[in-house]
mmCIF file of all heavy atoms in Angstrom:
data_model
loop_
_atom_site.group_PDB
_atom_site.id
_atom_site.type_symbol
_atom_site.label_atom_id
_atom_site.label_comp_id
_atom_site.label_asym_id
_atom_site.label_seq_id
_atom_site.Cartn_x
_atom_site.Cartn_y
_atom_site.Cartn_z
ATOM 1 N N LYS O 68 -10.935 8.535 7.575
ATOM 2 C CA LYS O 68 -10.252 7.644 6.638
ATOM 3 C C LYS O 68 -9.783 6.383 7.361
ATOM 4 O O LYS O 68 -9.279 6.437 8.478
ATOM 5 C CB LYS O 68 -9.057 8.354 5.998
ATOM 6 C CG LYS O 68 -9.448 9.487 5.051
ATOM 7 C CD LYS O 68 -10.154 8.962 3.827
ATOM 8 C CE LYS O 68 -10.307 10.016 2.737
ATOM 9 N NZ LYS O 68 -11.220 11.111 3.121
ATOM 10 N N ARG O 69 -9.937 5.238 6.714
ATOM 11 C CA ARG O 69 -9.526 3.952 7.272
ATOM 12 C C ARG O 69 -8.483 3.315 6.375
ATOM 13 O O ARG O 69 -8.607 3.337 5.141
ATOM 14 C CB ARG O 69 -10.728 3.015 7.399
ATOM 15 C CG ARG O 69 -11.740 3.449 8.436
ATOM 16 C CD ARG O 69 -11.229 3.226 9.851
ATOM 17 N NE ARG O 69 -12.150 3.787 10.824
ATOM 18 C CZ ARG O 69 -12.038 5.013 11.331
ATOM 19 N NH1 ARG O 69 -11.035 5.793 10.964
ATOM 20 N NH2 ARG O 69 -12.915 5.451 12.208
ATOM 21 N N TYR O 70 -7.494 2.724 6.999
ATOM 22 C CA TYR O 70 -6.410 2.060 6.282
ATOM 23 C C TYR O 70 -6.206 0.693 6.932
ATOM 24 O O TYR O 70 -5.828 0.604 8.107
ATOM 25 C CB TYR O 70 -5.134 2.892 6.342
ATOM 26 C CG TYR O 70 -5.333 4.309 5.854
ATOM 27 C CD1 TYR O 70 -5.640 5.340 6.749
ATOM 28 C CD2 TYR O 70 -5.256 4.621 4.500
ATOM 29 C CE1 TYR O 70 -5.847 6.635 6.308
ATOM 30 C CE2 TYR O 70 -5.457 5.919 4.046
ATOM 31 C CZ TYR O 70 -5.759 6.917 4.959
ATOM 32 O OH TYR O 70 -5.970 8.208 4.515
ATOM 33 N N VAL O 71 -6.469 -0.354 6.168
ATOM 34 C CA VAL O 71 -6.509 -1.708 6.704
ATOM 35 C C VAL O 71 -5.559 -2.608 5.923
ATOM 36 O O VAL O 71 -5.460 -2.511 4.694
ATOM 37 C CB VAL O 71 -7.943 -2.277 6.624
ATOM 38 C CG1 VAL O 71 -7.992 -3.739 7.033
ATOM 39 C CG2 VAL O 71 -8.887 -1.448 7.496
ATOM 40 N N MET O 72 -4.860 -3.473 6.650
ATOM 41 C CA MET O 72 -4.006 -4.484 6.032
ATOM 42 C C MET O 72 -4.700 -5.831 6.124
ATOM 43 O O MET O 72 -5.141 -6.241 7.192
ATOM 44 C CB MET O 72 -2.650 -4.564 6.744
ATOM 45 C CG MET O 72 -1.728 -5.647 6.200
ATOM 46 S SD MET O 72 -0.248 -5.919 7.228
ATOM 47 C CE MET O 72 0.532 -4.308 7.149
ATOM 48 N N LEU O 73 -4.809 -6.512 4.998
ATOM 49 C CA LEU O 73 -5.397 -7.850 4.943
ATOM 50 C C LEU O 73 -4.353 -8.844 4.458
ATOM 51 O O LEU O 73 -3.614 -8.558 3.515
ATOM 52 C CB LEU O 73 -6.587 -7.858 3.970
ATOM 53 C CG LEU O 73 -7.145 -9.241 3.580
ATOM 54 C CD1 LEU O 73 -7.780 -9.937 4.771
ATOM 55 C CD2 LEU O 73 -8.140 -9.110 2.426
ATOM 56 N N ASN O 74 -4.295 -9.996 5.107
ATOM 57 C CA ASN O 74 -3.515 -11.109 4.584
ATOM 58 C C ASN O 74 -4.485 -11.967 3.776
ATOM 59 O O ASN O 74 -5.139 -12.866 4.311
ATOM 60 C CB ASN O 74 -2.875 -11.911 5.719
ATOM 61 C CG ASN O 74 -1.903 -12.963 5.200
ATOM 62 O OD1 ASN O 74 -1.865 -13.277 4.014
ATOM 63 N ND2 ASN O 74 -1.106 -13.523 6.094
ATOM 64 N N LYS O 75 -4.590 -11.646 2.494
ATOM 65 C CA LYS O 75 -5.582 -12.306 1.632
ATOM 66 C C LYS O 75 -5.251 -13.783 1.436
ATOM 67 O O LYS O 75 -4.133 -14.131 1.081
ATOM 68 C CB LYS O 75 -5.629 -11.625 0.262
ATOM 69 C CG LYS O 75 -6.755 -12.154 -0.629
ATOM 70 C CD LYS O 75 -6.642 -11.653 -2.063
ATOM 71 C CE LYS O 75 -5.756 -12.529 -2.911
ATOM 72 N NZ LYS O 75 -6.319 -13.890 -3.190
ATOM 73 N N PRO O 76 -6.228 -14.651 1.648
ATOM 74 C CA PRO O 76 -5.993 -16.070 1.360
ATOM 75 C C PRO O 76 -6.053 -16.327 -0.150
ATOM 76 O O PRO O 76 -6.563 -15.514 -0.917
ATOM 77 C CB PRO O 76 -7.174 -16.773 2.055
ATOM 78 C CG PRO O 76 -7.868 -15.724 2.868
ATOM 79 C CD PRO O 76 -7.550 -14.413 2.229
ATOM 80 N N THR O 77 -5.571 -17.473 -0.569
ATOM 81 C CA THR O 77 -5.820 -17.918 -1.935
ATOM 82 C C THR O 77 -7.297 -18.258 -2.064
ATOM 83 O O THR O 77 -8.002 -18.476 -1.073
ATOM 84 C CB THR O 77 -4.970 -19.145 -2.291
ATOM 85 O OG1 THR O 77 -5.274 -20.201 -1.363
ATOM 86 C CG2 THR O 77 -3.484 -18.819 -2.216
ATOM 87 N N GLY O 78 -7.793 -18.306 -3.290
ATOM 88 C CA GLY O 78 -9.194 -18.635 -3.500
ATOM 89 C C GLY O 78 -10.141 -17.501 -3.199
ATOM 90 O O GLY O 78 -11.337 -17.717 -2.999
ATOM 91 N N VAL O 79 -9.617 -16.271 -3.170
ATOM 92 C CA VAL O 79 -10.431 -15.079 -2.941
ATOM 93 C C VAL O 79 -10.137 -14.083 -4.058
ATOM 94 O O VAL O 79 -8.966 -13.787 -4.336
ATOM 95 C CB VAL O 79 -10.135 -14.431 -1.576
ATOM 96 C CG1 VAL O 79 -10.903 -13.124 -1.422
ATOM 97 C CG2 VAL O 79 -10.484 -15.393 -0.451
ATOM 98 N N ILE O 80 -11.189 -13.569 -4.690
ATOM 99 C CA ILE O 80 -11.012 -12.593 -5.758
ATOM 100 C C ILE O 80 -10.795 -11.214 -5.148
ATOM 101 O O ILE O 80 -11.429 -10.852 -4.159
ATOM 102 C CB ILE O 80 -12.233 -12.588 -6.710
ATOM 103 C CG1 ILE O 80 -11.937 -11.812 -7.977
ATOM 104 C CG2 ILE O 80 -13.480 -12.104 -6.019
ATOM 105 C CD1 ILE O 80 -11.021 -12.531 -8.928
ATOM 106 N N SER O 81 -9.876 -10.440 -5.699
ATOM 107 C CA SER O 81 -9.569 -9.107 -5.167
ATOM 108 C C SER O 81 -10.578 -8.088 -5.679
ATOM 109 O O SER O 81 -10.266 -7.215 -6.493
ATOM 110 C CB SER O 81 -8.145 -8.694 -5.555
ATOM 111 O OG SER O 81 -7.203 -9.472 -4.861
ATOM 112 N N SER O 82 -11.789 -8.201 -5.180
ATOM 113 C CA SER O 82 -12.871 -7.303 -5.553
ATOM 114 C C SER O 82 -13.904 -7.324 -4.442
ATOM 115 O O SER O 82 -13.975 -8.282 -3.662
ATOM 116 C CB SER O 82 -13.499 -7.742 -6.879
ATOM 117 O OG SER O 82 -14.636 -6.952 -7.190
ATOM 118 N N MET O 83 -14.699 -6.252 -4.354
ATOM 119 C CA MET O 83 -15.760 -6.217 -3.361
ATOM 120 C C MET O 83 -17.028 -6.925 -3.839
ATOM 121 O O MET O 83 -17.966 -7.097 -3.088
ATOM 122 C CB MET O 83 -16.080 -4.767 -2.990
ATOM 123 C CG MET O 83 -14.974 -4.119 -2.187
ATOM 124 S SD MET O 83 -14.605 -5.032 -0.665
ATOM 125 C CE MET O 83 -13.034 -4.306 -0.208
ATOM 126 N N LYS O 84 -17.049 -7.337 -5.105
ATOM 127 C CA LYS O 84 -18.174 -8.100 -5.632
ATOM 128 C C LYS O 84 -17.721 -8.816 -6.888
ATOM 129 O O LYS O 84 -17.077 -8.224 -7.741
ATOM 130 C CB LYS O 84 -19.366 -7.180 -5.940
ATOM 131 C CG LYS O 84 -20.619 -7.918 -6.353
ATOM 132 C CD LYS O 84 -21.776 -6.963 -6.555
ATOM 133 C CE LYS O 84 -23.047 -7.699 -6.931
ATOM 134 N NZ LYS O 84 -24.193 -6.784 -7.136
ATOM 135 N N ASP O 85 -18.046 -10.103 -6.975
ATOM 136 C CA ASP O 85 -17.639 -10.889 -8.134
ATOM 137 C C ASP O 85 -18.866 -11.414 -8.857
ATOM 138 O O ASP O 85 -19.712 -12.095 -8.258
ATOM 139 C CB ASP O 85 -16.747 -12.055 -7.696
ATOM 140 C CG ASP O 85 -16.270 -12.863 -8.883
ATOM 141 O OD1 ASP O 85 -15.716 -12.259 -9.817
ATOM 142 O OD2 ASP O 85 -16.465 -14.095 -8.879
ATOM 143 N N ASP O 86 -18.981 -11.088 -10.142
ATOM 144 C CA ASP O 86 -20.165 -11.500 -10.898
ATOM 145 C C ASP O 86 -20.174 -12.995 -11.213
ATOM 146 O O ASP O 86 -21.163 -13.518 -11.741
ATOM 147 C CB ASP O 86 -20.289 -10.684 -12.191
ATOM 148 C CG ASP O 86 -19.051 -10.755 -13.063
ATOM 149 O OD1 ASP O 86 -18.157 -11.583 -12.764
ATOM 150 O OD2 ASP O 86 -18.959 -9.977 -14.028
#
Side-chain angles (χ1 to χ4, degrees):
K68 292 293 192 293
R69 292 287 174 266
Y70 306 93
V71 174
M72 177 190 299
L73 168 67
N74 188 347
K75 187 190 87 69
T77 58
V79 175
I80 192 74
S81 290
S82 174
M83 290 303 165
K84 186 176 182 180
D85 182 53
D86 55 10

